[in-house]
Amino acid sequence: MKKTRHYYLAAIIQTALVIIAVPVARAEEPTTDGYVTRKEYDELKTQLLAMKKELDALKKEKSEVPKRESVESHAVADVQKQVAPKVQATETQAGGDLHKEVTTGAIPSIAELEASLFGTTKFVLAGWAEAMYEQRNGQVSTFSASFNPIFLWELTPKILFDGRLEIEPSGGGTNVNLVNAQISYLLNDYIALGAGEFFSPSNVFVERFEPQWINKLPDRPIGVYHDVLPNISVGAQIRGGFPIGPTRADYAFYVSNGPTLNTFDARTAGTLDFNSYTDNNDNKAVGGRVGFLPIPGVEVGYGFETSKPGFQGTSFSRVQALVQSVDLEITRDSDLLKGRINLFAQYAWARVDHAVYDPDGSLGFGPLPLTAKRDGGYAELAYRPTKLDIDFLRNFELIFRWDHLSGDPSGLGDPSETRWTIGLDYWLSPSTVIKAAYEWDKPNGERNRNALLFQTAMGF
C-alpha cells in the first residue's frame, strides 16, 4: 500500500510540475507579454479535466486488479505519456498564437477589456442634511428640514457626472427637486467641458458656499437669490485654470437658456426671472467668470451674463439684458489674532434696455417707459480661534454679514432692503455645525423683519 501511494503521489506531483512549467516556460520566452488567450485557457482546462477523470478511473480499477503495483506503474507511465505531448503541443500552439498577437499589438487583459467597455464606475454619495428653526417678525415661527444628496460618478478618469437633489417636507407631502445634473469631460489639466444643468459660474455663493455645512450662517444672502444673479443654468460650459508665473487664474464660460423678462405686473416690470430653465426665444444667454489668485488664500473675480430675455415675437424680443458682478475671497491665518479669518464678498448689478411696459394700458399700469436697473450683494467676515490652546474655544466661530438688495426697477414694488446679521457657530466636527444667529432686517418703508435663527447641518 505504501508503494501504491508513492506511485500515485509521484504521478500527481509530476502532473502538477508539468502544469506549473507552462507559465514558467512562457515567462522565460522573450516574445510573450504574460497574457494567455481565452482559447488556450479553455483547451488546457479541458485537457486537465480529462486527465483527472483518467486518474480517478485508475484509482477505481486498483482494487480490482491483482497486480496493483504493476497496474499503477503502467498508469503513471500512461499519464506521463499523455500529459507530455499535450502540454508540449499546447505550448507550441500558444507560443505561435501569442507571437502572432504580440507582433500585431498587446493582448488586453480581462480588467482592461472591462474598463474599456463599461468604465471604471467609481461612485460616491455625498451631500448634507439640515434642520432649522426660524422666528421672524411678522411671520409664524417654524421648523424646517431638508436632505440634499449629491451623486458623483466617474465612468472613466476623464468622464464624470455630478447631480444633486433637494428633498424637503412641504405641507402634507415631500418636495423633491433636481438642483443640478451635469456630464463633464476632462480634456486636459487646464480644460474641462460640461453639459447639463449646472451652477452659474458668475454666482460665486451658489457655486461654492451654498451647502449649509459650508455656509456659515443659517440663511442665504438676499442679493444673490432675488433675480439679480442667475443661480442655475441649463446649457454647456468650458472651465479650468492655469498658472501665471507664481500666481494662478481660473475661468468658466457658458452658453445656456436665458432668463425671462417680467412684463405683466407693475411691481416686477423690468426684472429678470432666472427660475425658468426653458428658453422663451431662440437667443441664448452667454456668460462666465474669470478669477485671479495673486497670492495664496486671496481671489478676486469678475462675472457677467448677457441675454435677450423678451418673449419671441413680441415688442420685447430685441431688449438686451446685462448682468455683471465682482467678488472677493480671502482666507488668512493670523498669529496675532490666534485664529483664521475668512472674508467673502460679492456685488452684482443688472441692466435691462429701455422698453415700454403695458404700452396700450390693457394691463392697468401702463404705458410705463423704463430702463430697468437693479443691484445687490453681501459681505461676510468670520473669525475662528484655531490657534488657542483650549479645545472647546477652538470650535467656536463668530460671523458678521451685511447684505443688500435694491428696490424693483419700476419703483412700484418692494423698496430696497438692507440686513445685518451676527452669528455664532459651534463645530462638532469639520463637517457638522450648530449655528445661532440674529438678523436685523429693515426694508425701507416697511416694518422690520428681524429674525432669530437656529440651525444644525451635517455634511457627508
Side-chain angles (χ1 to χ4, degrees):
M1 285 298 294
K2 291 183 178 180
K3 290 184 178 181
T4 300
R5 292 177 182 174
H6 291 166
Y7 284 131
Y8 271 99
L9 182 59
I12 293 170
I13 292 174
Q14 290 178 13
T15 303
L17 289 174
V18 172
I19 294 170
I20 295 171
V22 174
V24 174
R26 288 177 179 167
E28 293 174 353
E29 292 179 7
T31 58
T32 62
D33 59 357
Y35 292 107
V36 177
T37 64
R38 186 69 185 184
K39 180 181 178 182
E40 296 166 0
Y41 172 79
D42 291 338
E43 289 178 353
L44 185 57
K45 181 179 178 181
T46 302
Q47 294 169 2
L48 292 176
L49 289 174
M51 287 184 283
K52 184 177 182 300
K53 289 181 180 180
E54 292 178 7
L55 285 174
D56 291 340
L58 289 174
K59 290 180 181 180
K60 186 176 180 180
E61 294 173 2
K62 175 186 64 173
S63 60
E64 301 175 359
V65 179
K67 298 181 179 180
R68 294 169 181 168
E69 293 183 2
S70 177
V71 171
E72 289 166 359
S73 62
H74 285 297
V76 172
D78 291 340
V79 170
Q80 291 175 341
K81 290 178 181 179
Q82 292 176 15
V83 170
K86 287 180 180 179
V87 172
Q88 184 176 2
T90 302
E91 284 190 86
T92 302
Q93 181 181 358
D97 293 340
L98 285 173
H99 178 71
K100 292 178 182 179
E101 293 177 5
V102 169
T103 56
T104 57
I107 304 171
S109 66
I110 295 176
E112 291 172 335
L113 289 174
E114 289 179 348
S116 64
L117 291 175
F118 305 107
T120 55
T121 61
K122 295 180 180 178
F123 177 78
V124 174
L125 175 63
W128 77 91
E130 62 175 292
M132 182 170 171
Y133 173 78
E134 179 177 357
Q135 182 178 329
R136 188 173 294 274
N137 189 27
Q139 299 180 10
V140 176
S141 61
T142 184
F143 285 97
S144 61
S146 71
F147 171 52
N148 292 258
I150 300 175
F151 304 91
L152 305 172
W153 183 38
E154 180 185 280
L155 179 62
T156 72
K158 287 185 172 292
I159 303 176
L160 312 173
F161 170 82
D162 66 280
R164 176 185 140 199
L165 296 176
E166 182 179 52
I167 306 171
E168 58 184 0
S170 177
T174 301
N175 285 340
V176 179
N177 298 315
L178 177 65
V179 179
N180 75 288
Q182 178 180 218
I183 299 172
S184 302
Y185 180 77
L186 305 182
L187 191 62
N188 53 45
D189 292 341
Y190 309 104
I191 301 174
L193 307 176
E197 185 177 10
F198 51 86
F199 299 109
S200 300
S202 58
N203 196 329
V204 175
F205 182 88
V206 171
E207 190 176 58
R208 300 183 182 181
F209 309 123
E210 184 185 50
Q212 288 296 353
W213 68 276
I214 298 177
N215 180 17
K216 297 181 183 297
L217 289 172
D219 63 349
R220 300 174 173 93
I222 55 176
V224 296
Y225 279 93
H226 288 71
D227 299 330
V228 179
L229 278 173
N231 297 335
I232 303 293
S233 298
V234 179
Q237 66 170 325
I238 177 172
R239 64 189 307 149
F242 52 88
I244 306 176
T247 65
R248 183 175 177 82
D250 54 66
Y251 66 90
F253 299 102
Y254 63 92
V255 56
S256 68
N257 295 333
T260 298
L261 179 64
N262 293 315
T263 62
F264 299 106
D265 185 83
R267 296 173 63 88
T268 60
T271 61
L272 300 173
D273 182 5
F274 293 102
N275 296 319
S276 179
Y277 300 140
T278 58
D279 216 335
N280 60 355
N281 54 45
D282 290 331
N283 182 265
K284 295 294 174 281
V286 176
R289 178 187 176 275
V290 176
F292 178 61
L293 292 82
I295 58 176
V298 177
E299 181 176 2
V300 293
Y302 166 78
F304 73 96
E305 180 180 289
T306 179
S307 63
K308 291 183 177 180
F311 281 89
Q312 190 164 304
T314 69
S315 60
F316 302 101
S317 60
R318 295 183 179 275
V319 173
Q320 191 80 28
L322 176 63
V323 178
Q324 302 178 82
S325 67
V326 291
D327 58 85
L328 172 66
E329 181 180 347
I330 299 175
T331 300
R332 307 293 290 178
D333 287 322
S334 172
D335 292 331
L336 178 63
L337 299 177
K338 294 186 177 297
R340 184 179 64 243
I341 298 175
N342 294 109
L343 173 62
F344 307 130
Q346 184 170 16
Y347 208 84
W349 59 100
R351 183 185 186 278
V352 179
D353 286 348
H354 183 83
V356 179
Y357 299 89
D358 189 20
D360 57 5
S362 60
L363 299 177
F365 66 89
L368 178 63
L370 182 65
T371 300
K373 296 180 181 179
R374 210 174 186 206
D375 62 277
Y378 73 98
E380 179 179 294
L381 181 65
Y383 165 72
R384 184 174 178 182
T386 55
K387 297 181 181 294
L388 292 182
D389 296 330
I390 304 174
D391 292 342
F392 177 73
L393 295 179
R394 283 203 302 265
N395 294 330
F396 281 100
E397 188 166 18
L398 185 64
I399 306 101
F400 296 94
R401 187 184 68 196
W402 167 89
D403 54 335
H404 167 79
L405 179 66
S406 72
D408 290 336
S410 64
L412 302 177
D414 293 336
S416 61
E417 183 177 357
T418 300
R419 305 190 308 188
W420 296 87
T421 307
I422 181 172
L424 182 64
D425 295 351
Y426 185 79
W427 293 90
L428 300 175
S429 76
S431 62
T432 305
V433 60
I434 298 174
K435 311 175 191 176
Y438 190 82
E439 191 169 80
W440 291 268
D441 186 357
K442 184 63 175 68
N444 292 345
E446 295 186 10
R447 63 182 297 182
N448 74 72
R449 301 176 187 168
N450 297 352
L452 178 64
L453 308 169
F454 295 97
Q455 185 186 62
T456 180
M458 180 182 68
F460 55 87

Short mmCIF file of all heavy atoms in Angstrom, two decimals, residues 256-276:
data_model
loop_
_atom_site.label_atom_id
_atom_site.label_comp_id
_atom_site.label_asym_id
_atom_site.label_seq_id
_atom_site.Cartn_x
_atom_site.Cartn_y
_atom_site.Cartn_z
N SER A 256 -26.26 79.14 -22.41
CA SER A 256 -27.38 78.48 -21.75
C SER A 256 -28.70 79.12 -22.15
O SER A 256 -28.74 80.18 -22.82
CB SER A 256 -27.22 78.56 -20.22
OG SER A 256 -27.36 79.90 -19.79
N ASN A 257 -29.80 78.48 -21.71
CA ASN A 257 -31.10 79.12 -21.84
C ASN A 257 -31.10 80.40 -21.01
O ASN A 257 -30.59 80.42 -19.90
CB ASN A 257 -32.21 78.19 -21.35
CG ASN A 257 -32.34 76.95 -22.21
OD1 ASN A 257 -32.01 76.96 -23.40
ND2 ASN A 257 -32.82 75.86 -21.62
N GLY A 258 -31.70 81.45 -21.58
CA GLY A 258 -31.63 82.74 -20.92
C GLY A 258 -32.76 82.98 -19.93
O GLY A 258 -33.71 82.18 -19.83
N PRO A 259 -32.70 84.07 -19.18
CA PRO A 259 -33.76 84.42 -18.24
C PRO A 259 -35.00 84.93 -18.98
O PRO A 259 -34.98 85.15 -20.19
CB PRO A 259 -33.13 85.52 -17.39
CG PRO A 259 -32.15 86.17 -18.33
CD PRO A 259 -31.61 85.07 -19.18
N THR A 260 -36.08 85.13 -18.24
CA THR A 260 -37.33 85.65 -18.79
C THR A 260 -37.55 87.07 -18.28
O THR A 260 -37.38 87.34 -17.08
CB THR A 260 -38.51 84.76 -18.39
OG1 THR A 260 -38.31 83.45 -18.92
CG2 THR A 260 -39.82 85.31 -18.92
N LEU A 261 -37.93 87.97 -19.16
CA LEU A 261 -38.21 89.34 -18.77
C LEU A 261 -39.65 89.43 -18.25
O LEU A 261 -40.60 89.04 -18.94
CB LEU A 261 -38.03 90.27 -19.97
CG LEU A 261 -38.31 91.76 -19.73
CD1 LEU A 261 -37.32 92.33 -18.72
CD2 LEU A 261 -38.25 92.53 -21.05
N ASN A 262 -39.81 89.95 -17.04
CA ASN A 262 -41.14 90.14 -16.47
C ASN A 262 -41.77 91.40 -17.05
O ASN A 262 -41.20 92.50 -16.96
CB ASN A 262 -41.06 90.24 -14.95
CG ASN A 262 -40.63 88.94 -14.30
OD1 ASN A 262 -41.11 87.88 -14.64
ND2 ASN A 262 -39.68 89.03 -13.36
N THR A 263 -42.96 91.27 -17.62
CA THR A 263 -43.61 92.40 -18.31
C THR A 263 -45.08 92.56 -17.93
O THR A 263 -45.70 93.53 -18.38
CB THR A 263 -43.53 92.21 -19.83
OG1 THR A 263 -44.22 91.01 -20.20
CG2 THR A 263 -42.08 92.12 -20.30
N PHE A 264 -45.66 91.67 -17.12
CA PHE A 264 -47.11 91.65 -16.94
C PHE A 264 -47.58 92.27 -15.62
O PHE A 264 -48.77 92.29 -15.35
CB PHE A 264 -47.62 90.21 -17.01
CG PHE A 264 -47.34 89.55 -18.34
CD1 PHE A 264 -46.35 88.60 -18.45
CD2 PHE A 264 -48.06 89.91 -19.46
CE1 PHE A 264 -46.08 88.00 -19.66
CE2 PHE A 264 -47.81 89.31 -20.69
CZ PHE A 264 -46.81 88.35 -20.79
N ASP A 265 -46.66 92.78 -14.80
CA ASP A 265 -47.06 93.30 -13.50
C ASP A 265 -46.22 94.53 -13.19
O ASP A 265 -45.00 94.54 -13.41
CB ASP A 265 -46.87 92.24 -12.41
CG ASP A 265 -47.38 92.71 -11.06
OD1 ASP A 265 -48.59 92.59 -10.81
OD2 ASP A 265 -46.56 93.21 -10.26
N ALA A 266 -46.88 95.55 -12.63
CA ALA A 266 -46.17 96.79 -12.35
C ALA A 266 -45.09 96.61 -11.30
O ALA A 266 -44.05 97.29 -11.34
CB ALA A 266 -47.17 97.86 -11.89
N ARG A 267 -45.29 95.70 -10.36
CA ARG A 267 -44.32 95.52 -9.28
C ARG A 267 -43.04 94.84 -9.75
O ARG A 267 -42.00 94.97 -9.12
CB ARG A 267 -44.95 94.71 -8.15
CG ARG A 267 -46.14 95.40 -7.49
CD ARG A 267 -46.83 94.48 -6.51
NE ARG A 267 -45.96 94.09 -5.41
CZ ARG A 267 -45.83 94.79 -4.29
NH1 ARG A 267 -46.48 95.94 -4.13
NH2 ARG A 267 -45.03 94.38 -3.33
N THR A 268 -43.13 94.06 -10.83
CA THR A 268 -41.95 93.30 -11.29
C THR A 268 -41.51 93.69 -12.70
O THR A 268 -40.58 93.07 -13.23
CB THR A 268 -42.26 91.80 -11.27
OG1 THR A 268 -43.37 91.53 -12.14
CG2 THR A 268 -42.57 91.33 -9.86
N ALA A 269 -42.15 94.67 -13.31
CA ALA A 269 -41.82 95.06 -14.69
C ALA A 269 -40.34 95.43 -14.80
O ALA A 269 -39.82 96.23 -14.01
CB ALA A 269 -42.69 96.22 -15.12
N GLY A 270 -39.66 94.82 -15.76
CA GLY A 270 -38.25 95.09 -16.00
C GLY A 270 -37.30 94.20 -15.25
O GLY A 270 -36.08 94.26 -15.48
N THR A 271 -37.80 93.33 -14.37
CA THR A 271 -36.92 92.41 -13.65
C THR A 271 -36.71 91.14 -14.47
O THR A 271 -37.46 90.83 -15.39
CB THR A 271 -37.49 92.04 -12.28
OG1 THR A 271 -38.75 91.38 -12.45
CG2 THR A 271 -37.68 93.28 -11.42
N LEU A 272 -35.69 90.38 -14.09
CA LEU A 272 -35.34 89.15 -14.78
C LEU A 272 -35.71 87.95 -13.92
O LEU A 272 -35.44 87.93 -12.72
CB LEU A 272 -33.84 89.12 -15.09
CG LEU A 272 -33.31 90.25 -15.97
CD1 LEU A 272 -31.79 90.19 -16.06
CD2 LEU A 272 -33.93 90.19 -17.36
N ASP A 273 -36.33 86.97 -14.55
CA ASP A 273 -36.68 85.73 -13.86
C ASP A 273 -35.70 84.65 -14.29
O ASP A 273 -35.75 84.17 -15.42
CB ASP A 273 -38.12 85.33 -14.21
CG ASP A 273 -38.57 84.07 -13.48
OD1 ASP A 273 -37.79 83.56 -12.64
OD2 ASP A 273 -39.69 83.59 -13.77
N PHE A 274 -34.82 84.25 -13.36
CA PHE A 274 -33.82 83.23 -13.66
C PHE A 274 -34.29 81.82 -13.28
O PHE A 274 -33.53 80.87 -13.41
CB PHE A 274 -32.52 83.52 -12.91
CG PHE A 274 -31.81 84.76 -13.38
CD1 PHE A 274 -31.90 85.94 -12.65
CD2 PHE A 274 -31.07 84.75 -14.54
CE1 PHE A 274 -31.26 87.09 -13.08
CE2 PHE A 274 -30.40 85.89 -14.98
CZ PHE A 274 -30.51 87.07 -14.25
N ASN A 275 -35.52 81.70 -12.82
CA ASN A 275 -36.01 80.40 -12.36
C ASN A 275 -36.68 79.59 -13.45
O ASN A 275 -37.10 78.46 -13.19
CB ASN A 275 -37.00 80.61 -11.20
CG ASN A 275 -36.33 81.23 -10.00
OD1 ASN A 275 -35.21 80.86 -9.65
ND2 ASN A 275 -36.99 82.18 -9.35
N SER A 276 -36.82 80.14 -14.64
CA SER A 276 -37.39 79.39 -15.75
C SER A 276 -36.24 78.78 -16.55
O SER A 276 -35.44 79.50 -17.16
CB SER A 276 -38.22 80.30 -16.66
OG SER A 276 -38.74 79.59 -17.74
#
